[in-house]
Amino acid sequence: MYVVIVYDINVSRVNRVKKFLRQHLHWVQNSVFEGEVTLAEFERIKAGILDLIDEDEDSVIIYKLRSKPKRETFGVEKNPIEDII
């Protein structure tokens, strides 16, 4: 499955969440990650996020898609996905 994760995390935790997500997904923009994952990887990502965030203060949204969506970018792309080998 293809996932897109967006988040709004307290500054005291944001670097830990970003570092964790970089191990599993491609960083595309501030507070946005995406990539193809297996169901097992998806479950690990969810568990890892829940371990790192404060559910009373932070917000994480995960979009699950069946396949990689067609992307259209306007302006400067922060971290082009085409760079991935």
Side-chain angles (χ1 to χ4, degrees), residues 6-63:
V6 296
Y7 58 84
D8 186 4
I9 305 288
N10 182 288
V11 69
S12 65
R13 290 179 292 280
V14 72
N15 284 331
R16 285 179 286 180
V17 172
K18 182 169 56 173
K19 183 178 178 180
F20 170 76
L21 289 174
R22 280 187 172 178
Q23 295 172 17
H24 301 280
L25 298 166
H26 181 69
W27 173 76
V28 292
Q29 203 171 58
N30 294 343
S31 304
V32 181
F33 284 81
E34 64 181 60
E36 189 76 37
V37 296
T38 65
L39 183 56
E41 289 171 318
F42 178 69
E43 294 301 327
R44 280 194 296 275
I45 291 168
K46 283 196 321 185
I49 289 171
L50 288 170
D51 284 344
L52 293 170
I53 70 167
D54 178 344
E55 291 186 72
D56 294 326
E57 189 174 334
D58 302 325
S59 173
V60 178
I61 300 170
I62 301 174
Y63 297 94

